[in-house]
Amino acid sequence: MSNSASSGSAAAGHTDRFAALADARRRTLLRLVHERSPDRIGKDDLAAEFAAVTADTRRHDVSADDQQRALVELHHKLLPRLTDAGLLETDDDDVVRVPDEQLLDDTVFAEALSGSNRDLEATTLDALFEALADERRRRTLAILGDRYQPVTTAALARAVAAAEADAVGHEVTQNRVDEVRTALVHVHLPLLHEATLIGYDDESGRVSYEGHPRVRTEWVRSTDGTPAIETASTDADAAPDARRSPFPL
């Protein structure tokens, strides 16, 4: 498989996983299964635990009706998204487990759901994972993460367009840059700003990476490299040596 194909597959996998994580109830379910790993857990048992946690009550206080309602939600709404994203597995015996490759190779996702994150509001994590559930937004973060100073939306759009075309900035047409800039300004930058991942002033057209303690390098650098923003008249304030790597390792 070529590098580009591998990169595309990895990016798609990250997109699916972040989209699945952008829901507090799915994150709770995933955490409960991770806490049992490497052991499996039956769906009935998982439904009882889920009902207890979401109702903030003790396990033995969960009624049969509450457990059944939780089981229906697990079966029809929560588990399908998590299994489709490869975050959980189920089998014919109605048991749920964390895939082996998740235990070995993708512990950063488990870390994102650990107890150290429970002080964050659910809506905060919803916004964070929704913002990350798009390859263009992750690429934008990777590009901004290499800059000390704010950059213009025009320079950022050219860098994003070049990265998506596997080209250098001056090879990208102005029409393409304008298309990417429109999408950034109206869709992607507001979402990233709402998730507190970037600083964005729509009046001045300046963007900067703000940093986030839960965002990992692996999450945003899921493609084949990230080009630097070219220093030009549209981005004169960004010196060539103004580089950094703000993502926690």
Side-chain angles (χ1 to χ4, degrees), residues 47-192:
E49 288 194 20
F50 181 77
V53 169
T54 54
D56 193 22
T57 189
R58 293 175 296 182
R59 167 73 179 269
H60 69 266
D61 290 332
V62 173
S63 69
D65 287 343
D66 289 338
Q67 183 176 359
Q68 182 60 32
R69 281 192 290 270
L71 183 61
V72 170
E73 184 180 9
L74 263 61
H75 183 73
H76 292 288
K77 293 179 60 177
L78 304 180
L79 281 174
R81 288 295 301 274
L82 293 169
T83 55
D84 288 348
L87 290 167
L88 292 178
E89 288 182 345
T90 60
D91 60 27
D92 294 337
D93 295 326
D94 274 344
V95 298
V96 185
R97 64 188 293 272
V98 178
D100 291 338
E101 60 269 23
Q102 288 289 321
L103 286 172
L104 297 174
D105 301 325
D106 220 356
T107 56
V108 291
F109 285 95
E111 178 184 317
L113 305 168
S114 68
S116 60
N117 287 282
R118 296 179 195 177
D119 57 336
L120 295 178
E121 293 183 4
T123 53
T124 300
L125 285 175
D126 287 352
L128 173 63
F129 287 122
E130 180 184 359
L132 292 172
D134 182 272
E135 186 178 358
R136 175 173 282 177
R137 290 197 288 272
R138 294 195 301 274
R139 194 188 299 274
T140 298
L141 288 175
I143 291 170
L144 290 172
D146 288 331
R147 311 303 297 175
Y148 274 117
Q149 300 176 345
V151 299
T152 64
T153 54
L156 178 61
R158 183 168 293 278
V160 171
E164 292 177 345
D166 194 20
V168 294
H170 68 270
E171 296 175 339
V172 182
T173 67
Q174 188 59 46
N175 283 342
R176 179 56 181 162
V177 172
D178 291 341
E179 290 175 357
V180 172
R181 184 175 182 273
T182 297
L184 288 175
V185 168
H186 291 288
V187 180
H188 302 295
L189 296 181
L191 274 171
L192 291 170

Side-chain angles (χ1 to χ4, degrees), residues 9 13 35 39 49 53 86 228:
S9 176
E35 289 175 351
D39 296 330
E49 288 194 20
V53 169

